[in-house]
Amino acid sequence: MVKTLFFASGAAVGFVLGTRAGRQTYEKMRDQSVELWHNPAVKEKVSDATETVKDKAPKLQQKVGALAKKATHHGADGADTSAITASTAGAPLEEATTPTPAAEPTVSPPMGGKRTP
């Protein structure tokens, strides 16, 4: 019982001290990040990056749109699959079958063990 009481009190003290140290570290990191964000050099770089993204976004959108359109109109083998002919539109799908192996593999008995018939 005494050991449990000592352990619980030690855990409580460790928790309180750890929380205070953790909170101080968090506050320090938060203050540094706020200071960095308000730095004029960082603000200038963020502004430049924003302008670059705004300038390049329409071109990127066109490229991605063209690639998406191409991907939806061509199959994996490059054949055009966008048009379905009337003869295959109502035809039922064939069932997929898995090929069976030509010969069953043989398993030899383990060496040094007893053979059971």
Side-chain angles (χ1 to χ4, degrees):
M1 176 76 174
V2 174
K3 290 181 181 180
T4 305
L5 183 61
F6 278 125
F7 177 76
S9 61
V13 169
F15 177 78
V16 170
L17 293 177
T19 302
R20 286 187 183 162
R23 182 69 179 181
Q24 288 173 351
T25 305
Y26 167 76
E27 292 290 334
K28 183 179 177 182
M29 286 182 357
R30 186 181 60 84
D31 291 342
Q32 287 175 346
S33 65
V34 168
E35 182 181 328
L36 180 67
W37 184 252
H38 293 296
N39 186 336
V42 172
K43 284 187 174 186
E44 182 180 341
K45 292 293 184 183
V46 168
S47 178
D48 291 346
T50 303
E51 290 300 320
T52 303
V53 169
K54 285 181 183 179
D55 290 343
K56 305 270 181 177
K59 292 177 188 174
L60 181 63
Q61 184 180 9
Q62 289 174 352
K63 286 183 181 180
V64 170
L67 288 173
K69 185 181 270 189
K70 184 177 179 182
T72 58
H73 290 296
H74 294 296
D77 59 356
D80 188 8
T81 58
S82 61
I84 299 176
T85 61
S87 63
T88 60
L93 295 175
E94 294 181 18
E95 287 189 31
T97 59
T98 56
T100 56
E104 293 291 324
T106 58
V107 178
S108 60
M111 299 184 85
K114 280 187 171 180
R115 286 188 166 181
T116 56

